[in-house]
Amino acid sequence: MARTPSTMLELGTPAPDFRLPDYTGKQVALSDFTKERALLVMFICNHCPFVKHVRHELAKLRRDYRVEDVAIVAINSNDIAAYPADNAEAMAREAREFGYTFPYLLDEAQQVAKAYMAACTPDFYLFGPDRRLVYRGQLDDSRPGNDVPVTGRDLRAALDAVLASAPVPSDQRPSIGCNIKWKPGNEPAYYGRIS
Protein backbone atom coordinates (compact mmCIF):
# COMPACT_ATOMS: atom_id res chain seq x y z
CA MET A 1 0.00 0.00 0.00
CA ALA A 2 1.52 3.31 -1.10
CA ARG A 3 2.13 5.88 1.63
CA THR A 4 2.02 9.62 1.03
CA PRO A 5 3.10 12.09 3.75
CA SER A 6 1.32 15.32 4.58
CA THR A 7 2.82 18.49 3.11
CA MET A 8 2.67 20.15 6.55
CA LEU A 9 1.15 23.55 5.74
CA GLU A 10 2.92 26.35 7.64
CA LEU A 11 1.70 26.96 11.18
CA GLY A 12 -0.08 30.29 11.59
CA THR A 13 -1.68 30.06 8.13
CA PRO A 14 -5.26 31.42 8.15
CA ALA A 15 -7.90 28.79 7.39
CA PRO A 16 -8.40 28.81 3.62
CA ASP A 17 -11.97 29.65 2.68
CA PHE A 18 -14.34 27.02 1.33
CA ARG A 19 -17.97 26.58 0.30
CA LEU A 20 -18.75 23.00 -0.67
CA PRO A 21 -21.77 20.70 -0.86
CA ASP A 22 -22.23 17.82 1.51
CA TYR A 23 -23.42 14.48 0.15
CA THR A 24 -27.04 15.75 0.16
CA GLY A 25 -26.13 18.89 -1.81
CA LYS A 26 -26.39 21.25 1.19
CA GLN A 27 -23.73 23.97 1.00
CA VAL A 28 -21.37 24.33 3.97
CA ALA A 29 -18.85 27.17 4.26
CA LEU A 30 -15.95 28.15 6.46
CA SER A 31 -18.05 31.13 7.56
CA ASP A 32 -20.54 28.70 9.15
CA PHE A 33 -17.96 28.00 11.87
CA THR A 34 -17.40 31.25 13.77
CA LYS A 35 -18.49 30.55 17.35
CA GLU A 36 -16.48 27.43 18.13
CA ARG A 37 -13.09 27.74 19.83
CA ALA A 38 -11.43 25.31 17.43
CA LEU A 39 -12.00 24.16 13.87
CA LEU A 40 -10.79 20.76 12.70
CA VAL A 41 -10.67 20.22 8.93
CA MET A 42 -10.06 16.62 7.90
CA PHE A 43 -9.36 15.43 4.36
CA ILE A 44 -10.70 11.89 4.14
CA CYS A 45 -12.41 9.57 1.66
CA ASN A 46 -14.25 6.26 1.73
CA HIS A 47 -11.95 3.74 0.06
CA CYS A 48 -8.52 4.52 1.55
CA PRO A 49 -7.27 1.80 3.95
CA PHE A 50 -5.65 4.47 6.16
CA VAL A 51 -9.02 6.21 6.61
CA LYS A 52 -10.83 2.91 7.10
CA HIS A 53 -8.33 2.16 9.87
CA VAL A 54 -9.31 5.30 11.84
CA ARG A 55 -12.91 6.03 10.86
CA HIS A 56 -14.34 4.89 14.23
CA GLU A 57 -11.97 7.33 15.95
CA LEU A 58 -13.06 10.14 13.60
CA ALA A 59 -16.67 9.58 14.64
CA LYS A 60 -15.61 9.36 18.30
CA LEU A 61 -13.88 12.75 18.09
CA ARG A 62 -17.24 14.35 17.32
CA ARG A 63 -18.86 12.55 20.25
CA ASP A 64 -16.06 13.45 22.68
CA TYR A 65 -15.77 17.18 21.96
CA ARG A 66 -18.69 19.52 22.47
CA VAL A 67 -20.04 21.11 19.31
CA GLU A 68 -19.83 24.52 21.03
CA ASP A 69 -16.08 24.05 21.53
CA VAL A 70 -14.92 22.24 18.39
CA ALA A 71 -16.26 22.44 14.84
CA ILE A 72 -15.35 19.41 12.74
CA VAL A 73 -15.68 19.15 8.99
CA ALA A 74 -14.49 16.41 6.65
CA ILE A 75 -13.68 16.98 2.98
CA ASN A 76 -13.39 14.38 0.23
CA SER A 77 -11.31 15.73 -2.68
CA ASN A 78 -10.76 12.50 -4.62
CA ASP A 79 -11.54 12.16 -8.32
CA ILE A 80 -14.95 10.49 -8.07
CA ALA A 81 -15.06 9.64 -11.78
CA ALA A 82 -11.96 7.46 -11.40
CA TYR A 83 -12.89 6.37 -7.84
CA PRO A 84 -16.68 5.93 -7.70
CA ALA A 85 -16.36 4.41 -4.21
CA ASP A 86 -15.81 8.01 -3.09
CA ASN A 87 -18.88 9.56 -4.76
CA ALA A 88 -21.64 11.39 -2.86
CA GLU A 89 -23.87 8.33 -2.57
CA ALA A 90 -21.01 6.32 -1.08
CA MET A 91 -20.18 9.24 1.24
CA ALA A 92 -23.76 9.17 2.54
CA ARG A 93 -23.50 5.43 3.23
CA GLU A 94 -20.13 5.91 4.95
CA ALA A 95 -21.49 8.66 7.18
CA ARG A 96 -24.53 6.58 8.18
CA GLU A 97 -22.60 3.37 8.74
CA PHE A 98 -19.80 4.84 10.82
CA GLY A 99 -21.69 7.59 12.64
CA TYR A 100 -20.19 10.69 11.05
CA THR A 101 -22.25 13.50 12.55
CA PHE A 102 -19.93 16.20 11.22
CA PRO A 103 -20.41 17.70 7.74
CA TYR A 104 -18.83 15.49 5.07
CA LEU A 105 -18.20 17.63 1.99
CA LEU A 106 -17.31 16.91 -1.63
CA ASP A 107 -14.52 19.00 -3.18
CA GLU A 108 -15.16 17.87 -6.74
CA ALA A 109 -13.04 20.66 -8.31
CA GLN A 110 -10.21 19.82 -5.86
CA GLN A 111 -9.57 23.52 -5.28
CA VAL A 112 -10.06 23.34 -1.51
CA ALA A 113 -7.54 20.50 -1.22
CA LYS A 114 -5.06 22.66 -3.12
CA ALA A 115 -5.76 25.68 -0.90
CA TYR A 116 -4.97 23.56 2.18
CA MET A 117 -2.04 21.85 0.43
CA ALA A 118 -3.69 18.57 1.37
CA ALA A 119 -1.73 15.58 0.13
CA CYS A 120 -3.11 12.44 1.71
CA THR A 121 -6.10 10.82 3.32
CA PRO A 122 -6.38 11.29 6.18
CA ASP A 123 -4.85 14.76 6.52
CA PHE A 124 -5.71 16.90 9.59
CA TYR A 125 -5.70 20.69 10.05
CA LEU A 126 -6.57 22.26 13.40
CA PHE A 127 -7.26 25.99 13.65
CA GLY A 128 -7.50 27.98 16.87
CA PRO A 129 -10.05 30.64 17.86
CA ASP A 130 -8.52 33.14 15.41
CA ARG A 131 -8.75 30.45 12.68
CA ARG A 132 -4.99 30.28 12.26
CA LEU A 133 -3.34 26.88 11.90
CA VAL A 134 -2.01 25.49 15.17
CA TYR A 135 -1.67 21.81 14.30
CA ARG A 136 -1.20 19.79 11.13
CA GLY A 137 -0.14 16.23 11.43
CA GLN A 138 -1.08 12.71 12.31
CA LEU A 139 -4.01 11.44 14.33
CA ASP A 140 -1.66 9.14 16.23
CA ASP A 141 1.05 6.52 15.58
CA SER A 142 -1.37 3.81 14.47
CA ARG A 143 -1.25 2.61 10.86
CA PRO A 144 -2.91 -0.35 9.15
CA GLY A 145 -1.02 -3.46 10.18
CA ASN A 146 1.33 -1.95 12.79
CA ASP A 147 -0.69 -3.20 15.80
CA VAL A 148 -0.59 0.23 17.51
CA PRO A 149 -4.04 1.04 18.96
CA VAL A 150 -5.98 3.91 17.40
CA THR A 151 -6.32 6.53 20.15
CA GLY A 152 -6.16 9.89 18.37
CA ARG A 153 -3.45 10.83 20.87
CA ASP A 154 -1.59 13.48 18.84
CA LEU A 155 -4.66 15.24 17.50
CA ARG A 156 -6.46 15.06 20.86
CA ALA A 157 -3.46 16.63 22.61
CA ALA A 158 -3.62 19.53 20.16
CA LEU A 159 -7.39 19.90 20.59
CA ASP A 160 -7.09 19.82 24.39
CA ALA A 161 -4.35 22.47 24.28
CA VAL A 162 -6.49 24.82 22.17
CA LEU A 163 -9.46 24.37 24.50
CA ALA A 164 -7.24 25.05 27.53
CA SER A 165 -5.74 28.15 25.86
CA ALA A 166 -2.37 26.44 26.19
CA PRO A 167 0.44 26.09 23.63
CA VAL A 168 -0.14 23.29 21.15
CA PRO A 169 2.64 20.68 21.25
CA SER A 170 5.38 21.64 18.80
CA ASP A 171 6.33 18.05 17.97
CA GLN A 172 3.98 17.57 15.04
CA ARG A 173 4.50 14.47 12.91
CA PRO A 174 3.12 14.33 9.37
CA SER A 175 -0.01 12.37 8.70
CA ILE A 176 0.54 9.38 6.43
CA GLY A 177 -2.04 7.92 4.07
CA CYS A 178 -3.09 7.35 0.49
CA ASN A 179 -2.41 10.24 -1.84
CA ILE A 180 -5.40 12.36 -2.84
CA LYS A 181 -6.61 11.01 -6.17
CA TRP A 182 -6.11 14.02 -8.42
CA LYS A 183 -7.96 14.37 -11.69
CA PRO A 184 -5.55 13.91 -14.61
CA GLY A 185 -3.80 17.21 -15.27
CA ASN A 186 -5.10 18.73 -12.02
CA GLU A 187 -2.20 17.65 -9.81
CA PRO A 188 -0.89 20.57 -7.73
CA ALA A 189 2.72 21.76 -7.89
CA TYR A 190 3.38 20.23 -4.46
CA TYR A 191 2.13 16.76 -5.53
CA GLY A 192 4.77 14.17 -4.80
CA ARG A 193 6.87 16.57 -2.71
CA ILE A 194 8.15 15.08 0.51
CA SER A 195 8.66 17.52 3.36
Side-chain angles (χ1 to χ4, degrees), residues 83-147:
Y83 295 86
D86 289 329
N87 68 23
E89 184 178 296
M91 289 168 63
R93 280 195 307 270
E94 184 88 355
R96 279 193 308 272
E97 185 173 350
F98 295 99
Y100 292 172
T101 56
F102 44 76
Y104 189 11
L105 312 180
L106 181 58
D107 176 25
E108 198 163 358
Q110 303 183 316
Q111 292 306 307
V112 177
K114 288 181 179 181
Y116 280 75
M117 290 184 66
C120 60
T121 55
D123 218 349
F124 301 97
Y125 300 81
L126 179 62
F127 299 88
D130 61 357
R131 295 304 180 254
R132 291 189 173 273
L133 187 65
V134 295
Y135 180 83
R136 74 286 189 255
Q138 66 179 10
L139 181 70
D140 56 32
D141 290 326
S142 185
R143 305 286 185 267
N146 75 356
D147 295 325

Side-chain angles (χ1 to χ4, degrees), residues 2-9 117-120 123 173-177 179 188-195:
R3 295 174 176 234
T4 298
S6 171
T7 55
M8 302 290 281
L9 188 63
M117 290 184 66
C120 60
D123 218 349
R173 299 171 66 191
S175 187
I176 299 288
N179 68 287
Y190 61 83
Y191 177 63
R193 183 185 91 195
I194 296 183
S195 51

Side-chain angles (χ1 to χ4, degrees), residues 33 35 37 47 73 116 137 143 148 152 159 184-185:
F33 307 106
K35 297 177 182 161
R37 294 173 61 198
H47 86 275
V73 61
Y116 280 75
R143 305 286 185 267
V148 174
L159 280 161

Side-chain angles (χ1 to χ4, degrees), residues 13-97:
T13 300
D17 198 15
F18 61 82
R19 176 175 291 282
L20 296 169
D22 69 8
Y23 49 79
T24 69
K26 176 187 173 190
Q27 294 287 316
V28 177
L30 176 66
S31 60
D32 294 333
F33 307 106
T34 58
K35 297 177 182 161
E36 301 85 359
R37 294 173 61 198
L39 168 65
L40 174 61
V41 178
M42 309 182 295
F43 286 85
I44 67 171
C45 68
N46 306 325
H47 86 275
C48 169
F50 290 87
V51 176
K52 288 180 177 182
H53 182 69
V54 300
R55 58 190 171 193
H56 290 290
E57 178 64 18
L58 303 183
K60 191 172 186 307
L61 282 168
R62 174 67 293 152
R63 294 192 303 271
D64 290 352
Y65 289 91
R66 295 177 349 136
V67 174
E68 298 82 14
D69 291 334
V70 180
I72 299 176
V73 61
I75 299 173
N76 170 16
S77 298
N78 277 356
D79 177 0
I80 60 173
Y83 295 86
D86 289 329
N87 68 23
E89 184 178 296
M91 289 168 63
R93 280 195 307 270
E94 184 88 355
R96 279 193 308 272
E97 185 173 350

